[in-house]
């Protein structure tokens, strides 16, 4: 028999429960005690004293044995007669362990005699309704959510070895033992589900991406600039190479006596195709291998030719493979109604998917959309995230909005943080090779030798 000191370090913390739920617990345990006419005496018979004196139970008077269903909780009794250790519910500070243990015990010896563990039958319908309803304190809310996740939200069947619960596809608030239960509970769960799904979507949407959708250059491993003129897509291997690495590769090849037109790809070392037909053949070969980069590039080529339907087809295939640029291009098609009917809802969906994937152009467009809807809080967040990716247009517009008074109610700390993040993102993309490539481009444009 374990002394009270063997309980977990936080086990003597009494968890707040609603009076209705406590009453249900009292009733059920008193049925188990041999002297049911006196609750305290009955609990003493179960080797526990004053188990229902909330907050007045001295730890030195508690005699327990280890729980038979889990390793964390001490049971209020031992022996077949007192399998349901209700005190575990009061003394175990972790709601998940506490409720999981109770449900497993209920499954082995259910008060109602039901062949499956049922939370309603074990604690009573009133207690289940109490725990499922809205609560005021943080501890009660945590307990309520734990109840809903450890048993079917519709029928109350607990998750044990022979019962598997599946989460609601749209939120994390409820789990169900079958499609039938989910359908029956739909009317009660629908509103809360929509609200929670929106919260989860916003959490994902407003999370700062680790990098832009372009990622890092595969050769120098530095972040690629979001300015597409500072990098090149190599169709032979579907890799985006920064101008610095292209410049270094070309310089080396020229020093070795090769012509500029014969310089191989700096990544895969394949020679540059001599004709458009050969280039298209390589692209189609990669498309057949389900390369989303090649699909998107082919779709862009068809878009430039005015064949919007074919462009939509290839963009859609690439988006199904979760390619961020494809989502951005689809949002453009839905916005203009090219190759598909205009659809603001689908346009917004693809914009959000691209923004979540780190596409600064899509994030900027999303910010402008929110601004037109007068949702300035959301617009400022989007502008700030795009600025932190080094997107010029976003930081310029954010600066303009602060200086012309459109964001007079917003703290200038937001602008200062955005400027610092923008500069840090730009500095991270710099290297001597990239600066040399930019200098070469400048000299070529100005006609210098």
């Amino acid at each position: 028999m374990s002394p009270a000191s063997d309980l977990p370090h936080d086990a003597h913390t009494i968890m707040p429960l609603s009076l209705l739920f406590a009453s249900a617990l009292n009733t059920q345990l008193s049925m188990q005690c041999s002297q049911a006419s006196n609750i305290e005496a009955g609990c003493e018979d179960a080797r526990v004293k004053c188990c229902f004196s909330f907050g007045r139970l001295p730890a030195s008077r508690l005699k327990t044995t280890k729980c038979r269903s889990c390793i964390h909780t001490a049971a209020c009794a031992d022996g077949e007669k007192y399998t349901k250790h209700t005190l575990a519910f009061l003394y175990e500070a972790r709601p998940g362990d506490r409720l999981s243990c109770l449900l497993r015990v209920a499954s082995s010896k259910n008060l109602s005699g039901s062949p499956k563990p049922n939370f309603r039958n074990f604690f009573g319908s009133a207690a289940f309704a109490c725990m499922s309803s809205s609560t005021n304190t943080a501890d009660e809310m945590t307990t309520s959510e734990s109840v809903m996740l450890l048993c079917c939200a519709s029928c109350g069947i607990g998750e044990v070895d022979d019962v598997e619960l599946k989460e609601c596809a749209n939120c994390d608030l409820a789990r169900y033992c079958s499609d039938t239960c989910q359908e029956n509970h739909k009317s009660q769960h629908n509103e809360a589900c929509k609200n929670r799904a929106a919260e989860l979507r916003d959490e994902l949407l407003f999370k700062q991406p680790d990098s832009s959708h372009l990622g890092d250059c595969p050769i120098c491993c530095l972040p690629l600039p979001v300015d597409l003129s500072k990098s090149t897509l190599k169709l032979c291997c579907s890799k985006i190479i920064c101008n610095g690495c292209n410049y270094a590769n070309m310089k080396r090849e020229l020093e070795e006596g090769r012509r500029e037109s014969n310089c191989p790809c700096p990544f895969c070392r394949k020679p540059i195709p001599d004709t458009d037909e050969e280039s298209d053949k390589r692209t189609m070969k990669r498309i057949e291998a389900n390369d989303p980069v090649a699909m998107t590039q082919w779709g862009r080529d068809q878009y430039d030719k005015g064949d919007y339907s074919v462009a939509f087809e290839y963009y859609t295939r690439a988006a199904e493979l979760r390619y961020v640029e494809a989502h951005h291009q689809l949002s453009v098609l839905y916005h203009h109604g090219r190759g598909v009917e205009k659809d603001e809802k689908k346009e917004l969906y693809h914009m959000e998917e691209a923004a979540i994937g780190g596409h600064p152009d899509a994030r900027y467009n999303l910010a402008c959309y929110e601004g037109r809807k007068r949702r300035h809080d959301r617009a400022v967040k989007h502008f700030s995230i795009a600025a932190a990716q080094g997107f010029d247009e976003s930081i310029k517009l954010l600066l303009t909005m602060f200086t012309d008074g459109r964001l007079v109610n917003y703290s200038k700390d937001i602008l200062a943080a955005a400027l610092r993040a923008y500069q840090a993102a730009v500095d991270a993309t710099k290297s001597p090779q990239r600066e040399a490539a930019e200098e070469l481009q400048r000299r070529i444009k100005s006609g210098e030798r």
Side-chain angles (χ1 to χ4, degrees), residues 39-61:
I39 291 181
E40 183 171 341
C43 294
E44 185 175 5
D45 186 61
R47 302 170 192 253
V48 180
K49 292 187 177 182
C50 304
C51 65
F52 295 112
S53 299
F54 288 79
R56 300 192 302 274
L57 178 59
S60 60
R61 297 174 60 189

Side-chain angles (χ1 to χ4, degrees), residues 3 15 43 54 67 72 93-94 99 117 137 142 186 245 247 250 264 276 280 283 304 310 377 387 393 399 430 439:
M15 298 298 293
C43 294
F54 288 79
C67 170
H72 301 293
R94 283 166 293 191
L99 291 169
T137 67
T142 304
K186 186 176 181 179
C245 291
Y247 169 78
M250 185 183 299
D276 291 340
D280 292 345
T283 303
D304 293 339
V310 176
D377 288 343
E393 296 300 321
L399 183 60
K430 292 181 178 180
E439 178 62 19

Side-chain angles (χ1 to χ4, degrees), residues 2-16 48-49 51 53-64 66 72-75 87-94 98 139:
S2 304
S5 58
D6 289 343
L7 288 171
H9 63 87
D10 55 356
H12 302 303
T13 303
I14 303 299
M15 298 298 293
V48 180
K49 292 187 177 182
C51 65
S53 299
F54 288 79
R56 300 192 302 274
L57 178 59
S60 60
R61 297 174 60 189
L62 178 63
K63 297 180 180 180
T64 62
K66 284 295 181 182
H72 301 293
T73 309
L87 260 188
F89 197 98
L90 306 179
Y91 274 81
E92 176 53 58
R94 283 166 293 191
R98 179 171 71 238
D139 288 331

Side-chain angles (χ1 to χ4, degrees), residues 76-87:
C76 68
D78 65 344
E80 290 298 324
K81 190 173 182 180
Y82 307 107
T83 339
K84 301 177 182 63
H85 51 281
T86 311
L87 260 188

Side-chain angles (χ1 to χ4, degrees), residues 151-261:
C151 57
C152 177
S154 178
C155 67
I157 290 177
E159 183 175 40
V160 289
D161 296 338
D162 60 338
V163 177
E164 181 180 356
L165 301 181
K166 295 182 179 180
E167 286 189 355
C168 172
N170 299 320
C171 72
D172 56 0
L173 297 179
R175 301 172 75 192
Y176 301 97
C177 63
S178 64
D179 293 339
T180 303
C181 278
Q182 185 170 4
E183 186 65 27
N184 294 339
H185 194 248
K186 186 176 181 179
S187 59
Q188 304 174 44
H189 178 61
N190 196 35
E191 183 177 354
C193 181
K194 287 182 179 179
N195 293 336
R196 181 56 180 163
E199 291 176 4
L200 293 174
R201 182 69 172 179
D202 280 352
E203 288 177 10
L204 186 62
L205 183 61
F206 291 110
K207 181 181 179 181
Q208 181 72 48
D210 295 333
S211 66
S212 75
H213 68 296
L214 299 174
D216 299 338
C217 173
I219 298 177
C220 65
C221 297
L222 292 176
L224 287 166
V226 294
D227 184 353
L228 296 180
S229 66
K230 297 182 178 181
S231 60
T232 305
L233 173 63
K234 301 296 183 180
L235 295 177
C236 50
C237 53
S238 295
K239 299 296 184 182
I240 301 176
I241 311 298
C242 72
N243 286 352
C245 291
N246 281 320
Y247 169 78
N249 178 62
M250 185 183 299
K251 183 179 178 180
R252 182 181 63 253
E253 295 293 337
L254 291 176
E255 289 174 351
E256 293 177 359
R258 297 188 183 183
R259 292 183 303 171
E260 181 178 346
S261 59

Side-chain angles (χ1 to χ4, degrees), residues 308-309 312 330 333-334 336-343 346:
Y308 303 128
S309 297
F312 174 78
L330 282 172
L333 291 182
Y334 279 113
H336 295 291
R338 294 172 179 170
V340 67
E341 293 184 2
K342 285 187 177 182
D343 191 323
K346 291 183 179 179

Side-chain angles (χ1 to χ4, degrees), residues 68-70 99-108 115-118 150-151 157-165 175 177:
R68 298 181 178 184
S69 300
C70 69
L99 291 169
S100 177
C101 180
L102 283 170
L103 290 171
R104 293 185 64 81
V105 173
S107 69
S108 62
K116 290 187 177 181
N118 188 296
L150 286 168
C151 57
I157 290 177
E159 183 175 40
V160 289
D161 296 338
D162 60 338
V163 177
E164 181 180 356
L165 301 181
R175 301 172 75 192
C177 63

